[in-house]
């Protein structure tokens, strides 16, 4: 396990829906997450973009929070992402990544981020070129550690290999797939096996199905409620417990913009799902009977 992985809480807070909050609301959300020990704060340069404008707005707002309360910076593991470029839409070219990272730091108002993640694969840039750009970010002290998101295990391996060639000993410390009861691909596509093999930190995005937890007529929510009744907890708590139960120890990234829901999430850490509970949920999410 990397130093970064050992220093973060079991749940984290994500900023995809963060732009648009008032500064006071934004401060309350970040403070609440840190207070309950959800130390990794995950953002991206693209968060806030609505299809035409808003690129960088989530980072800017987080930067304003940090300017208002500089003490928060030391309490958090600050993670951002780059590599999605509106209109392109993916760009991991060395020139673009260098610029994107510098722009992120400027918006956040920090000298460095703790984790810089490549957001979605740009299959047109050779891994060697990507690795060179990432090593440059490390050498200049702009980023503490490197990660990826939405990659296949083989894309992960290729970049990992290129990094090690470029700088012996340097490796990717994290990967960020979508993972929830609704979307359990990482347990089948090799992502979590690779995390277990390499000790890579798994960050699980949209752990509550990106809001599907709020749907009344969703069969997965019905299954979550049923299991929750057996444990005396609500459906969102069970959805988080499902993510936390995998041996790769995925860290769910909460997307809620409500302080009380950030606090409530900690209850999931005390829920121990039975094996049969977990597979019942897994089956409901795939929509198929398990053989
Ligand atoms: N790497 C990637 O490509 C990628 C893609 C998407 C997301 N992410 C990361 O993952 C984070 C989370 O994504 P997400 O926002 O889709 O996650 P999520 O936690 O699955 O969904 C959050 C949504 O669920 C709603 N919700 C309804 N009932 C809820 C309840 N009881 N408790 C909590 N939330 C409830 C929230 O509304 P309220 O705000 O009203 O609570 C919010 O709109 C993002 O912020 C981002 O950091 C990464």
């Amino acid at each position: 396990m990397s130093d970064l992985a050992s220093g973060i809480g079991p749940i984290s807070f994500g900023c995809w829906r963060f732009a648009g909050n008032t500064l006071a609301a934004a401060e309350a959300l970040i403070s609440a997450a840190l207070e309950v020990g959800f130390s990794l704060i995950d953002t991206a340069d693209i968060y806030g973009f609505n299809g035409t404008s808003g690129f960088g707005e989530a980072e800017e707002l987080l930067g304003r929070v940090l300017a208002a309360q500089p003490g928060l910076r030391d309490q958090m593991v600050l993670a951002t992402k780059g590599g999605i470029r509106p209109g392109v839409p993916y760009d991991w070219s060395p020139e673009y990544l260098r610029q994107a990272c510098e722009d992120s730091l400027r918006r956040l108002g920090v000298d460095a981020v703790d984790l810089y993640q490549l957001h979605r694969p740009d299959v047109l840039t050779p891994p060697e070129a990507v690795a060179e750009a990432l090593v440059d970010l490390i050498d200049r002290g702009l980023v503490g550690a490197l990660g990826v998101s939405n990659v296949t295990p083989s894309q992960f391996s290729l970049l990992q290999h290129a990094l090690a060639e470029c700088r012996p000993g340097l490796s990717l410390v994290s990967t960020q797939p979508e993972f929830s009861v609704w979307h359990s691909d990482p347990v089948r596509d090799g992502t979590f096996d690779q995390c277990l093999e390499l000790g890579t930190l798994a960050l699980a995005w949209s752990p509550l199905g990106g809001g599907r937890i709020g749907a009344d007529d969703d069969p997965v929510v019905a299954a979550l409620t049923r299991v929750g009744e057996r444990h005396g907890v609500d459906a969102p708590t069970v959805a988080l417990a499902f993510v936390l139960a995998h041996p790769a120890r995925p860290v769910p990234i909460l997307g809620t913009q409500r302080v009380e829901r950030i606090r409530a999430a900690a209850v999931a850490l005390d829920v121990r799902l039975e094996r049969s509970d977990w597979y019942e949920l897994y089956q409901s999410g795939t929509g198929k009977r398990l053989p």
Side-chain angles (χ1 to χ4, degrees), residues 205-224:
W205 65 260
S206 289
L208 300 183
R212 286 177 68 182
I213 191 70
D216 293 334
D217 54 350
D218 185 324
V220 175
V221 176
L224 287 163

Side-chain angles (χ1 to χ4, degrees), residues 12-18 41-44 47 81 84 117-120 148-150 176-178 180 182 203-215 234-237 240 252-258 260-262 264:
S12 72
F13 176 72
C15 297
W16 181 29
R17 304 172 195 269
F18 191 61
I41 307 294
D42 179 71
T43 189
Y47 291 171
K81 313 182 200 74
I84 297 184
Q117 303 157 100
L118 300 182
H119 205 154
R120 282 191 181 273
V148 286
S149 181
N150 301 303
Q176 186 178 138
E178 180 175 10
S180 67
W182 291 266
L203 298 168
W205 65 260
S206 289
L208 300 183
R212 286 177 68 182
I213 191 70
D234 63 11
T237 302
L240 293 176
I253 312 176
L254 298 178
T256 184
Q257 299 300 301
R258 300 194 203 189
E260 69 277 14
R261 284 180 170 172
I262 293 175

Side-chain angles (χ1 to χ4, degrees), residues 97-237:
L97 287 183
R98 286 188 189 116
Q99 189 62 54
C101 183
E102 288 169 13
D103 290 347
S104 286
L105 298 187
R106 182 179 38 73
R107 285 188 290 262
L108 290 163
V110 297
D111 296 331
V113 289
D114 303 306
L115 176 66
Y116 193 68
Q117 303 157 100
L118 300 182
H119 205 154
R120 282 191 181 273
D122 165 23
V123 297
L124 298 180
T125 307
E128 297 72 27
V130 181
E132 223 172 275
L134 295 178
V135 167
D136 179 56
L137 298 180
I138 292 269
D139 284 349
R140 290 162 62 208
L142 304 185
V143 313
L146 301 166
V148 286
S149 181
N150 301 303
V151 298
T152 64
S154 52
Q155 287 167 335
F156 185 100
S157 294
L158 279 171
L159 185 54
Q160 184 82 304
H161 182 72
L163 269 179
E165 287 281 303
C166 195
R167 177 61 48 83
L170 188 62
S171 58
L172 297 168
V173 302
S174 68
T175 189
Q176 186 178 138
E178 180 175 10
F179 180 56
S180 67
V181 184
W182 291 266
H183 188 97
S184 54
D185 289 9
V187 307
R188 293 180 299 277
D189 67 12
T191 299
F192 284 170
D193 300 337
Q194 189 176 45
C195 288
L196 284 166
E197 184 188 354
L198 303 177
T200 310
L201 168 67
L203 298 168
W205 65 260
S206 289
L208 300 183
R212 286 177 68 182
I213 191 70
D216 293 334
D217 54 350
D218 185 324
V220 175
V221 176
L224 287 163
T225 304
R226 210 163 47 234
V227 172
E229 278 163 5
R230 302 205 281 265
H231 290 265
V233 294
D234 63 11
T237 302

